[in-house]
Amino acid sequence: MKILLAGGAGYIGSHIALALLENGQDVVVMDNFDNSSPEAIMRVEEMTGQTVSLYEADVTNKKVTLAVFKKEKPDCVIHLAGLKAVGESIEQPIRYYRNNIDTTLTLLECMAKTGCKNIVFSSSATVYGEENAAPCHEKMPKGKCSNPYGWTKSMMEQILQDASVADKDMSVVLLRYFNPIGAHESGRIGENPRGIPNNLMPYVTQVAVGKRDKLTIFGDDYDTPDGTCLRDYIHIMDLAEGHLKAVDFCVENKGTEIINLGTGQPYSVLDIVKTFEKVNNIQVPYEIGPRRGGDLPAVYADVSKAEKVLGWKAKRTLADMCRDSWNWQKNNPEGYE
């Protein structure tokens, strides 16, 4: 089977590409390298001894994207393309709406023109909004998002659902990610943020490697066991393996399916810091800062549907996540540069 990864050279995409290749699939990657690196795909090829068909292209460019579809004839699309920084989306909402929604519309139009009927979408737990109490399950109504990035995910879910209603032969799987962290155990590929990291784990690893002085923890007075926010962290390779199951399900079923990818086990910010220090025997200096607007006390998944429908369950531990994150960072202090 041939899988097209739209935005496939980034953190999540590169790990999915690796898992797909190891599972015997053919992989095509389209990426404009706006927030990713071709080096990640080169390393995936080295690790697997296999070749990826890599196109440096913006998925919003319909002419170029259609040419790739016509040449490669993918059986399934995994849609990861888009801008993803929450803070930046608040500062540049029009750019986020234009880019992210255009990627989805362009992919759907190119699929329709070439007869590809299967798409797996990289969605987010952010669509549950602030109204839904944890654990979040797929039957909950979507909530009100706190930023344009979240709204683009919510809107793209709706577009994909509407497309599958209009075309009864179409199959859509909406995967709602919780908090992917970690790296491949080899340390060859991992998360490579540009500038100041938006997410917790790369900030922790950059403090540990000496690139940043200290970590700021935003608030320690939440109604949680240690006062810091609780989140559902999932190892990136568990997430990647979830996509293998999602692709298989997608090509065998019609309509739309919504599935959470998480562990169902919430950990606090301090749990992450303390576990990272313990398993890697390294100190992570931190300070407590004021709460950050929009942060909820606890967000984690009900993961029973993923196990029931996909036969998938996360198996790696928080210690694995922390160990593999540090293994990547210490061996690649400047990322892929």
Side-chain angles (χ1 to χ4, degrees):
M1 188 158 47
K2 184 177 285 189
I3 317 298
L4 171 66
L5 299 183
Y11 171 47
I12 294 173
S14 58
H15 288 80
I16 294 172
L18 179 73
L20 287 167
L21 289 169
E22 290 181 337
N23 196 48
Q25 313 293 4
D26 293 326
V27 174
V28 180
V29 169
M30 288 184 67
D31 204 297
N32 64 3
F33 306 128
D34 181 55
N35 191 36
S36 58
S37 171
E39 175 68 22
I41 298 301
M42 290 172 61
R43 293 189 185 188
V44 166
E45 291 179 322
E46 291 170 6
M47 293 161 69
T48 60
Q50 299 181 62
T51 302
V52 173
S53 297
L54 177 62
Y55 295 87
E56 181 175 358
D58 194 316
V59 177
T60 63
N61 186 322
K62 187 176 178 180
K63 182 179 178 181
V64 172
T65 302
L66 184 57
V68 173
F69 269 81
K70 287 181 175 179
K71 180 180 178 182
E72 296 290 349
K73 300 178 175 62
D75 300 294
C76 183
V77 174
I78 299 179
H79 178 12
L80 304 138
L83 302 169
K84 62 176 187 177
V86 168
E88 186 180 68
S89 79
I90 295 169
E91 297 165 0
Q92 303 175 35
I94 305 305
R95 178 176 172 234
Y96 268 68
Y97 287 119
R98 169 65 72 187
N99 181 85
N100 290 5
I101 292 171
D102 270 3
T103 61
T104 303
L105 295 174
T106 301
L107 286 170
L108 286 170
E109 289 168 346
C110 292
M111 288 171 66
K113 284 184 177 293
T114 56
C116 180
K117 299 292 186 180
N118 308 304
I119 184 167
V120 176
F121 176 54
S122 163
S123 192
S124 167
T126 191
V127 302
Y128 287 112
E130 300 178 4
E131 300 90 336
N132 291 307
C136 301
H137 61 80
E138 294 88 348
K139 290 185 179 179
M140 286 176 166
K142 288 192 292 186
K144 182 179 179 182
C145 299
S146 60
N147 57 77
Y149 162 75
W151 278 119
T152 66
K153 290 293 188 184
S154 184
M155 291 173 184
M156 289 187 284
E157 281 197 1
Q158 189 64 52
I159 291 166
L160 288 158
Q161 287 175 294
D162 290 346
S164 75
V165 169
D167 184 348
K168 301 303 181 185
D169 291 326
M170 192 169 181
S171 177
V172 173
V173 178
L174 307 176
L175 296 179
R176 291 178 178 169
Y177 305 165
F178 280 71
N179 294 73
I181 61 174
H184 188 263
E185 62 181 8
S186 67
R188 292 287 290 152
I189 57 173
E191 190 166 9
N192 184 37
R194 292 185 178 171
I196 299 172
N198 291 295
N199 299 322
L200 175 61
M201 184 56 84
Y203 211 108
V204 168
T205 62
Q206 288 190 10
V207 170
V209 84
K211 288 187 72 173
R212 306 201 179 273
D213 293 335
K214 60 188 173 185
L215 169 72
T216 299
I217 295 174
F218 299 107
D220 66 347
D221 58 349
Y222 288 94
D223 185 18
T224 61
D226 63 20
T228 65
C229 291
L230 294 169
R231 295 292 182 267
D232 189 333
Y233 297 95
I234 175 173
H235 196 291
I236 186 65
M237 288 310 300
D238 279 330
L239 188 85
E241 289 161 10
H243 285 74
L244 300 184
K245 299 288 191 179
V247 166
D248 288 342
F249 180 88
C250 190
V251 299
E252 293 169 4
N253 295 274
K254 305 300 180 188
T256 297
E257 203 70 57
I258 302 170
I259 301 173
N260 289 337
L261 290 187
T263 65
Q265 172 62 58
Y267 290 103
S268 74
V269 177
L270 283 174
D271 286 333
I272 294 284
V273 173
K274 298 304 181 185
T275 303
F276 186 92
E277 290 181 326
K278 181 178 179 181
V279 300
N280 298 311
N281 194 28
I282 190 168
Q283 292 298 116
V284 179
Y286 68 87
E287 65 178 7
I288 303 297
R291 289 189 182 192
R292 189 170 52 181
D295 278 348
L296 301 175
V299 181
Y300 57 96
D302 179 327
V303 294
S304 56
K305 184 175 180 180
E307 188 169 7
K308 180 180 179 181
V309 173
L310 300 183
W312 170 91
K313 187 176 182 180
K315 56 183 184 246
R316 293 166 179 86
T317 66
L318 182 61
D320 294 329
M321 300 178 213
C322 291
R323 186 182 302 107
D324 292 340
S325 294
W326 178 233
N327 189 38
W328 153 255
Q329 183 74 77
K330 72 181 180 183
N331 287 308
N332 303 271
E334 300 301 326
Y336 291 114
E337 300 303 320

